[in-house]
Amino acid sequence: MPLSEPTTSPRAPASRGSVVISVDAMGGDRGPAAVVAGIAESADKNPDIRFIVHGPRAELERMIARRSGLAARCDIRDAQGVVTMGDKPSQVLRKGEGTSMWSTVESVRNGEATVAVSCGNTGALMALSMLRLRKLPGVNRPAIACLWPSRNPQGFNVMLDVGADIRADAQDLLTYALMGASYARNGLGLARPRVGLLNVGTEEHKGRAELKQAHELIGPAAQVANFDYIGFVEGGDLPSARVDVIVTDGFTGNVALKTGEGTAKLIADFLKDAFGNSVMSKFAALLAMTSLKRLQKRIDPRRVNGGVFLGLNGTVVKSHGSADATGVSAAIKLAFQLAQSGFQDRLAARVAQSLGPEAGGELISKGAS
């Protein structure tokens, strides 16, 4: 297994103004049919996306050929192996070279594509991404950032880390703040994001030692990094309009994410049961159909499907394992938006501004976004 790695961010070659996205067609719960359907949906919506699709060639050729005009926009890379949800990351690192996931990340590493998208095993995808793309200089622990539905005008808040690493010290949390602000600026179009540090209370004396230390580091960094630091936030602020970026460790973030997803599904089930309870309830549901569809769309987790791996020499979007065509299309849309904004180069420039822990994470330049 070759271990020589790039030291700069891979860049996709220009292709008639198109953005090239590398897609893992295998590994999701619904199989390659859902992934190809999501690719087709994205292709219909945006003519500027081209795809490198990874998986068994014969199977993918049949599926793609059924979609009018899709074959001309897809480069199929034969990869017979599949990383399953039950595979351990260590096994994939040792034996995963022939898999669709490995091939997907490799296309970004080689500069053929700008962003990789996969519905597969999160732990394996992060491990492979770290091995093949390597971490950005100055990043100790990469993070997974997700979009959280909120009351803000943009409709979403950014939260990180949501599961890349269960640990995070003060310097890691500072790096997350920098990366999260860059993501909000380039992914959500916020000129000056508001960043909060998740804690058990907003008072400065509360929280673990590393949170208090991170609080002391993030405040001074905010001005030169062009974001507003609002201090500690609580769980109730995750969907609020008080903050745009929520910084936390991967353990806390992942628990919050899974709780939010479960709550959204519970509310949807309760509404369905309530409006189907009687003839009058069904009639009321018919009268409220427009409002109910708007609510369903607002809380539909498929619309915000896609966690972004931050802190690597390349952009990777992790789609939910159970994503259908709509979810896959949403993840591809996010990948396209980040690629178009030049997000990877901007993120690398922002992280490069932070010095080592011995310098207290002080930033030295104002040039990056």
Side-chain angles (χ1 to χ4, degrees):
M1 184 190 328
L3 294 177
S4 59
E5 308 295 347
T7 56
T8 59
S9 302
R11 302 173 67 91
S15 177
R16 294 177 298 193
S18 297
V19 169
V20 181
I21 296 176
S22 179
V23 183
D24 177 10
M26 314 303 291
D29 296 341
R30 298 173 184 263
V35 177
V36 171
I39 291 173
E41 191 173 313
S42 296
D44 288 340
K45 293 177 180 177
N46 197 324
D48 292 328
I49 306 178
R50 299 180 66 83
F51 305 92
I52 303 176
V53 188
H54 305 262
R57 180 179 297 276
E59 184 177 1
L60 292 180
E61 283 179 343
R62 287 195 301 270
M63 291 182 177
I64 291 173
R66 298 190 191 112
R67 307 277 178 171
S68 177
L70 187 58
R73 295 170 60 181
C74 293
D75 178 6
I76 299 175
R77 299 292 172 83
D78 186 47
Q80 295 296 320
V82 176
V83 175
T84 69
M85 293 299 181
D87 287 340
K88 295 181 179 179
S90 57
Q91 295 175 320
V92 177
L93 292 181
R94 291 195 306 270
K95 303 178 181 179
E97 193 163 354
T99 64
S100 59
M101 182 182 287
W102 183 293
S103 183
T104 299
V105 174
E106 201 71 5
S107 286
V108 174
R109 178 180 183 268
N110 292 337
E112 298 172 302
T114 308
V115 185
V117 176
S118 176
C119 300
N121 181 318
T122 303
L125 182 61
M126 176 56 82
L128 273 182
S129 299
M130 289 179 62
L131 175 68
R132 305 309 296 157
L133 301 178
R134 308 296 284 178
K135 294 180 289 187
L136 287 171
V139 174
N140 181 36
R141 293 187 176 97
I144 303 175
C146 75
L147 295 178
W148 194 288
S150 78
R151 296 178 181 274
N152 275 317
Q154 69 269 16
F156 305 104
N157 291 336
V158 176
M159 186 168 73
L160 73 165
D161 176 26
V162 293
D165 197 316
I166 62 172
R167 298 163 297 172
D169 61 23
Q171 185 67 29
D172 295 326
L173 294 170
L174 169 62
T175 304
Y176 294 171
L178 295 171
M179 295 194 299
S182 184
Y183 179 24
R185 193 173 292 115
N186 294 285
L188 297 179
L190 302 177
R192 193 174 178 89
R194 296 162 300 165
V195 176
L197 183 61
L198 189 62
N199 200 354
V200 294
T202 58
E203 299 87 350
E204 292 193 6
H205 66 274
K206 288 190 174 181
R208 303 189 305 269
E210 60 268 28
L211 289 175
K212 297 176 183 178
Q213 292 167 7
H215 177 69
E216 296 299 321
L217 292 176
I218 297 173
Q223 185 60 40
V224 286
N226 196 31
F227 65 84
D228 291 325
Y229 179 55
I230 65 171
F232 290 133
V233 296
E234 300 179 278
D237 293 313
L238 298 184
S240 76
R242 182 174 175 235
V243 66
D244 302 304
V245 178
I246 301 101
V247 174
T248 187
D249 62 84
F251 182 91
T252 306
N254 190 264
V255 171
L257 175 64
K258 298 298 174 58
T259 302
E261 290 176 343
T263 302
K265 186 177 185 304
L266 181 67
I267 292 172
D269 290 344
F270 280 172
L271 284 172
K272 185 177 179 180
D273 290 344
F275 282 109
N277 190 46
S278 66
V279 173
M280 290 301 294
S281 297
K282 292 177 181 178
F283 181 67
L286 184 63
L287 293 177
M289 186 63 68
T290 300
S291 297
L292 288 173
K293 285 185 177 180
R294 189 181 301 118
L295 173 63
Q296 183 183 40
K297 185 177 181 181
R298 189 81 184 268
I299 66 174
D300 187 350
R302 299 178 303 172
R303 293 180 59 240
V304 291
N305 178 46
V308 182
F309 291 1
L310 302 179
L312 302 171
N313 278 301
T315 306
V316 178
V317 173
K318 170 60 175 73
S319 172
H320 203 290
S322 61
D324 59 7
T326 300
V328 172
S329 179
I332 292 173
K333 179 182 178 181
L334 175 60
F336 175 72
Q337 290 173 331
L338 294 176
Q340 265 200 324
S341 72
F343 169 69
Q344 179 60 36
D345 290 338
R346 293 172 182 268
L347 177 65
R350 173 57 67 201
V351 172
Q353 290 179 339
S354 66
L355 299 176
E358 68 278 2
E362 183 181 359
L363 302 181
I364 60 175
S365 169
K366 297 184 182 181
S369 293

